[in-house]
Amino acid sequence: MRLDAGRTHVAIPGPSVVPDRVLAAMHRAMPDIYGGELVGIHESVFARLPAIARTAGRPFVAIANGHGGWEMALTNTLSRGDKVLVLESGQFATLWGEAARFDGIEVEFLPARSERYAVDPESVEAHLRADDTRSIRAVLMAHVDTATSVRNDVAAIRAVLNRCDHPALLMVDCIASLGCDRYEMDTWGVDVTIAASQKGLMVPPGLAFVWAGDRAWSAHQQADLRTAYWDWTARASDGPMYLAYNGTPPVSHLFGLDEALTMIDDEGLEHVWARHAALADAVRVAVDAWSAPDGLELNIIDPSARSNAVTTIRSGSIDVERLRSTCATAAGLTLGVGLGPLAGSGFRFGHMGHVNAPMIMGMIGTTEAALHALGAPLGGSGAAAAAASLGRSMSV
Ligand SMILES: *Cc1c(COP(=O)(O)O)cnc(C)c1O
């Protein structure tokens, strides 16, 4: 029978749940864009963005999705025919590399061992050492890949670049991880960071964020892929506030982002990361408890390479489309589809941004109920394991 009347939960890894406070902040009449309150909101947002990426670099905000952020990063730093090295670890770095190729960049792909592993720093090192002419201009990677739920070790890749004394820029896609998994742009030596509004930042889709460090800003001076709309120089020029957006500002999104940044500041970024870790731990112990031969299993093998924003589960013999549709129609819970190599053989829990213990328990408990409804092989109760894990977190 259907038990879905009531508040439903879309637990996909982006767009994530938008807090009522953010929705309410966006529900406003259009303001004057040439003066007044919006100017202060714009300034306050730009002043707070560097801290979210832990950088002293310049933030840029575009009316775009994450793909637009990729394009802004590439076109502002590179020239036609430049070579980049893409560190594949699932789906998203690969798509970014394909966009780079379309834009006229020469692209080398370095695959991970499989969709169950993080980028291997040793193979990156071997690849960079072989580049004796230093023709690779940038290394592109995803911090967290949202298809596999792997979290890559960004600092380890910077260490490899340093050991090889290689001048390539390090560009990191943090679209899934920003505001969820610890990310330290400057300490880790990242030159360009990319994010989007609709995941850990808790705002509807529509804003892309790019942070540029000093080395990226220098590369920008020579880049010949620059285009009028994305251009950092135009967006950084002195003058009225709308120049930063190359046109009309995304006013409703700015109202929402201002509120979301206030929520993050009030909680404290360190605590935001710790909350995501505690909630993700509960999800992971639940999946481990469910695990059974031919049943469910965490996709990422190395526990230290699992993201706190999203968890990808391999579904074994379980009919994943029936599991997802049972959750959705019978219970009002929407789970993320498997992507890439896990299309049809896996699913994903999003736990990014505006999530708390009851949302996690609801998601895990409801999934467990659907697994019972399907007669799926179950090693034990994931809900009990998740509750025990959350209890440990709540007691400290
Ligand atoms: C969601 C996501 C993207 C794509 O973002 P869009 O806003 O859909 O363009 C890219 N990379 C990662 C890691 C993501 O999670």
Side-chain angles (χ1 to χ4, degrees):
M1 71 187 266
R2 290 182 59 164
L3 303 171
D4 62 322
R7 191 162 197 158
T8 55
H9 181 29
V10 178
I12 68 173
S16 65
V17 172
V18 178
D20 290 345
R21 273 176 68 176
V22 172
L23 289 172
M26 296 178 75
H27 190 95
R28 289 185 55 177
M30 293 300 103
D32 183 9
I33 63 166
Y34 300 98
E37 187 196 7
L38 188 67
V39 176
I41 288 175
H42 157 82
E43 285 169 0
S44 148
V45 161
F46 269 70
R48 288 180 288 163
L49 281 175
I52 293 285
R54 290 285 175 98
T55 181
R58 293 166 193 255
F60 295 93
V61 179
I63 300 180
N65 56 18
H67 285 64
W70 288 343
E71 183 108 334
M72 177 186 263
L74 297 169
T75 57
N76 274 289
T77 55
L78 296 166
S79 296
R80 192 162 291 278
D82 277 357
K83 190 192 285 182
V84 300
L85 177 65
V86 173
L87 310 182
E88 294 184 275
S89 60
Q91 183 106 333
F92 289 94
T94 311
L95 293 172
W96 188 11
E98 284 165 6
R101 184 172 276 166
F102 189 104
D103 286 349
I105 294 162
E106 194 185 320
V107 183
E108 280 179 26
F109 292 95
L110 185 63
R113 199 166 134 197
S114 81
E115 78 280 4
R116 306 196 70 178
Y117 292 90
V119 169
D120 170 27
E122 278 176 28
S123 57
V124 179
E125 179 152 358
H127 206 92
L128 289 175
R129 288 208 185 279
D131 179 35
D132 41 24
T133 61
R134 299 292 187 249
S135 63
I136 294 170
R137 302 297 302 270
V139 173
L140 276 47
M141 68 186 294
H143 181 213
V144 165
D145 184 278
T146 324
T148 64
S149 72
V150 78
R151 182 180 60 223
N152 291 304
D153 188 343
V154 174
I157 301 305
R158 165 49 67 193
V160 165
L161 283 159
N162 291 351
R163 268 204 301 285
C164 300
D165 196 22
H166 199 294
L169 295 174
L170 179 58
M171 303 205 208
V172 182
D173 168 346
C174 291
I175 295 169
S177 56
L178 205 81
C180 306
D181 282 282
R182 172 177 295 279
Y183 182 73
E184 307 269 3
M185 177 170 170
D186 287 0
T187 308
W188 295 353
V190 177
D191 299 302
V192 179
T193 298
I194 295 134
S197 50
Q198 76 271 23
K199 300 195 181 173
L201 296 178
M202 308 181 288
V203 175
L207 296 181
F209 303 95
V210 179
W211 290 261
D214 289 343
R215 294 180 70 240
W217 189 253
S218 306
H220 172 67
Q221 310 311 317
Q222 279 85 49
D224 80 4
L225 280 174
R226 287 164 60 176
T227 61
Y229 179 68
W230 298 113
D231 190 46
W232 284 345
T233 298
R235 287 166 180 265
S237 55
D238 287 334
M241 167 262 279
Y242 57 80
L243 294 181
Y245 308 93
N246 246 325
T248 305
V251 291
S252 305
H253 277 71
L254 287 177
F255 292 142
L257 179 62
D258 181 47
E259 188 67 16
L261 293 176
T262 300
M263 290 175 70
I264 291 173
D265 285 345
D266 289 350
E267 184 178 351
L269 188 55
E270 290 282 347
H271 193 275
V272 169
W273 291 334
R275 169 172 53 86
H276 278 84
L279 298 176
D281 274 341
V283 172
R284 291 183 284 249
V285 299
V287 179
D288 277 338
W290 287 331
S291 283
D294 282 335
L296 303 178
E297 184 187 8
L298 289 168
N299 179 50
I300 297 301
I301 294 168
D302 174 1
S304 70
R306 293 172 180 158
S307 163
N308 293 330
V310 51
T311 297
T312 302
I313 295 124
R314 305 174 78 86
S315 50
S317 62
I318 296 167
D319 180 342
V320 71
E321 281 323 308
R322 259 187 79 211
L323 175 64
R324 287 187 63 253
S325 65
T326 302
C327 283
T329 34
L333 170 69
T334 302
L335 303 177
V337 294
L339 288 180
L342 290 161
S345 63
F347 66 95
R348 296 173 301 154
F349 288 129
H351 34 88
M352 45 178 54
H354 192 56
V355 278
N356 60 13
M359 292 162 79
I360 295 295
M361 285 308 298
M363 178 179 81
I364 294 299
T366 304
T367 304
E368 185 163 319
L371 288 164
H372 283 301
L374 263 59
L378 275 187
S381 172
S389 171
L390 291 174
R392 282 190 294 277
S393 300
M394 286 158 72
S395 70
V396 294

